[in-house]
Amino acid sequence: KAGVTQTPRYLIKTRGQQVTLSCSPISGHRSVSWYQQTPGQGLQFLFEYFSETQRNKGNFPGRFSGRQFSNSRSEMNVSTLELGDSALYLCASSHGTRRTDTQYFGPGTRLTVL
Amino acid sequence: AQTVTQSQPEMSVQEAETVTLSCTYDTSESDYYLFWYKQPPSRQMILVIRQEAYKQQNATENRFSVNFQKAAKSFSLKISDSQLGDAAMYFCAQFQLNNAGNMLTFGGGTRLMVKP
C-alpha cells in the first residue's frame, strides 16, 4: 500500500504571496490532518479534514485554510505569507473513525518565506 | 487541554546499549492513546510504538518497549541494543478521537545520538 504523499517537497515564496500544499492519504483513509513544525514552536496541529469537512481546528489565524476532496486528497492554503510561516508542513492520514486510529505521516513540504 | 512534556532535549547512548526517553502528559480524558514517533534527518515522521490507555500491559515492538504508568501520566520509551540507525528526534504524542475530531498533541522532542 502506498504511503502518504505530499507535493511539492520544497517551496520558496516571498512575503505577501500565497501558497497551496497538497496531500494524498493512504488508500482507504478518510481523515487528513495537517501539522506545522518549526524550531521554535515544535509540532503544532493546524486542522483535520474528514469526509470533506473540517472536523477540528488548531489555534492558527484565518490565513491558514484547507479543504478535502471526495477522493480524500487534501490541500492546505496559506495566504499573505509572513516570514514566520517558514516551516515544515506535515500531513498525516488515518481512518478517522476507529478508536484505535493511528496517524501516518507524509514526508512533509518545506516552505521557506523570504 | 492536553499537554505533553519531554524533559530531555538531548540524549546519547553507546551502540548496543540501552537508553530510556522520558515523557509525561496531562489530560482529563480517560480514553486516549499514546505514541512515540521517530523523525530522522530525512524529516519523515515514522511510527515507533503505540499504547492504548485502557491496556495495562506495556507495548513492545522488537527492540522498542514502553513503560506506561497511567496514574503518574508517564510514558517512557526504552530502546534496547541501540543501533546507529536509531539516531533521530523522538516525539511523544497523545491522541484523542472525540466528537471534535482527532488530533495529536506532541511533546517538544528528544534528540537521540548513538555513538559507535
Side-chain angles (χ1 to χ4, degrees):
Chain A
K1 206 182 251 189
V4 180
T5 58
Q6 290 187 247
T7 57
R9 293 293 310 277
Y10 302 91
L11 266 178
I12 299 176
K13 293 286 187 179
T14 56
R15 278 181 300 175
Q17 287 187 310
Q18 75 167 17
V19 67
T20 299
L21 313 181
S22 181
C23 173
S24 293
I26 291 170
S27 178
H29 284 187
R30 293 162 61 193
S31 169
V32 174
S33 298
W34 290 88
Y35 297 86
Q36 181 196 63
Q37 186 176 24
T38 60
Q41 299 298 317
L43 280 152
Q44 293 184 288
F45 173 74
L46 279 155
F47 31 64
E48 181 220 2
Y49 284 86
F50 177 78
S51 292
E52 302 179 61
T53 301
Q54 187 182 85
R55 188 165 66 170
N56 203 356
K57 189 177 189 306
N59 189 25
F60 277 83
R63 300 185 296 106
F64 292 82
S65 63
R67 60 177 174 169
Q68 187 179 35
F69 302 94
S70 58
N71 61 357
S72 294
R73 188 178 70 86
S74 177
E75 288 182 348
M76 189 191 104
N77 185 274
V78 188
S79 62
T80 319
L81 284 166
E82 300 177 0
L83 295 179
D85 297 333
S86 294
L88 180 69
Y89 289 89
L90 294 165
C91 89
S93 81
S94 68
H95 290 286
T97 57
R98 302 176 182 180
R99 303 300 300 180
T100 56
D101 219 13
T102 296
Q103 293 192 358
Y104 296 92
F105 284 81
T109 294
R110 168 76 64 187
L111 172 64
T112 302
V113 182
L114 302 175
Chain B
Q2 304 169 133
T3 59
V4 179
T5 303
Q6 293 179 249
S7 58
Q8 306 150 316
E10 280 192 359
M11 294 279 287
S12 67
V13 63
Q14 205 71 35
E15 194 176 6
E17 296 194 343
T18 296
V19 65
T20 298
L21 309 183
S22 301
C23 172
T24 57
Y25 61 94
D26 191 16
T27 181
S28 56
E29 300 288 334
S30 59
D31 187 11
Y32 54 89
Y33 304 84
L34 297 164
F35 296 85
W36 280 97
Y37 283 92
K38 167 186 176 181
Q39 188 178 43
S42 68
R43 311 301 279 174
Q44 173 88 49
M45 196 76 79
I46 301 165
L47 175 68
V48 174
I49 199 166
R50 182 183 74 188
Q51 174 79 43
E52 289 85 359
Y54 64 87
K55 288 187 177 178
Q56 294 197 349
Q57 186 174 5
N58 289 325
T60 299
E61 287 287 341
N62 301 313
R63 298 183 295 108
F64 299 88
S65 61
V66 300
N67 183 4
F68 174 47
Q69 301 290 326
K70 189 172 183 178
K73 294 183 179 175
S74 168
F75 181 61
S76 60
L77 175 70
K78 185 172 84 171
I79 306 174
S80 304
D81 185 26
S82 296
Q83 300 175 359
L84 295 177
D86 295 333
M89 283 290 291
Y90 285 81
F91 292 94
C92 176
Q94 182 187 358
F95 171 82
Q96 285 175 206
L97 173 62
N98 55 34
N99 291 336
N102 70 34
M103 64 175 280
L104 283 167
T105 301
F106 287 91
T110 296
R111 181 175 303 280
L112 178 67
M113 295 172 284
V114 181
K115 299 176 182 178

